[in-house]
Amino acid sequence: MTTERSLILHARQVEQTLLRMSQEIYEQHFECKDIVVLGIKGMGEQIAQVIYHNLEKISPLHCEWATIQLDKKNPFTAPVWSPAISLKKKNVVLVDDVIHSGKTLIHASHFVCQQDPARLSMVTLVNREHRLFPVGPNVVGITLSTNLKEHVAVEYNDAGFQVFLENQK
């Protein structure tokens, strides 16, 4: 079985998309004094770092950055690795690279809500719209119409982030 890959967004497009998303996050949080950008371990964590640095450049908000890690296959049995910073009464922006079924975001948001944030927003670079769980992002980079057999891969290399659509043949 071979995998056919199509480049959806090249590095410059992703860079521009992440800057636009950062501006949109600032627009939605301009009345806040501080914000925590919380990346889901993996590519969500790396994208959160870029958004964090963009927010520091374009806004007067006090920004903090942290990572959350959960076992996507066993979200209830494995412990959530939580950030070293407090989320209590803070504005939290939860970031992941791709939303497919919504399962990862719903489990991560459940953990965040237990920390008593003032506000929770969800952000994704790629939204696939195959929801099995009732959760949706507040800020989206790109929405792709895909079938369930296709896979969206976000990769990082020397050029930057790139987004691929993979199809098993």
Side-chain angles (χ1 to χ4, degrees):
M1 199 181 287
T2 62
T3 301
E4 182 181 289
R5 297 183 87 198
S6 301
L7 181 65
I8 302 298
L9 294 174
H10 59 69
R12 181 69 178 135
Q13 290 171 312
V14 174
E15 181 182 332
Q16 292 171 334
T17 299
L18 291 175
L19 179 58
R20 178 189 50 78
M21 291 169 62
S22 302
Q23 291 166 335
E24 197 171 335
I25 291 166
Y26 175 48
E27 288 172 4
Q28 292 179 9
H29 293 83
F30 75 95
E31 294 177 337
C32 303
K33 293 180 182 172
D34 58 15
I35 194 169
V36 176
V37 181
L38 186 61
I40 295 176
K41 185 78 174 170
M43 289 311 252
E45 171 185 30
Q46 292 182 29
I47 290 169
Q49 284 180 321
V50 173
I51 290 172
Y52 163 78
H53 289 298
N54 285 344
L55 286 169
E56 282 192 315
K57 291 177 193 172
I58 65 171
S59 78
L61 298 173
H62 172 262
C63 297
E64 294 179 275
W65 172 82
T67 300
I68 182 173
Q69 181 176 334
L70 63 149
D71 184 337
K72 295 178 183 184
K73 297 202 187 297
N74 301 303
F76 294 112
T77 58
V80 173
W81 180 84
S82 61
I85 61 175
S86 171
L87 303 178
K88 187 174 182 70
K89 303 296 181 210
K90 293 189 179 175
N91 299 286
V92 178
V93 175
L94 184 60
V95 181
D96 205 1
D97 59 337
V98 179
I99 296 178
H100 179 67
S101 68
K103 185 175 182 179
T104 300
L105 273 183
I106 203 120
H107 288 295
S109 63
H110 178 259
F111 169 79
V112 171
C113 287
Q114 290 176 333
Q115 309 310 307
D116 193 25
R119 178 178 179 180
L120 173 61
S121 300
M122 296 182 195
V123 174
T124 189
L125 177 59
V126 181
N127 182 14
R128 290 193 58 197
E129 299 265 339
H130 294 290
R131 294 293 176 281
L132 299 176
F133 295 85
V135 62
N138 301 85
V139 177
V140 174
I142 184 174
T143 298
L144 291 178
S145 295
T146 61
N147 67 47
L148 294 174
K149 293 180 181 180
E150 294 173 316
H151 176 73
V152 175
V154 178
E155 297 177 2
Y156 184 81
N157 59 32
D158 292 340
F161 290 100
Q162 294 178 320
V163 178
F164 295 92
L165 183 62
E166 298 177 342
N167 202 346
Q168 296 288 328
K169 293 272 179 172

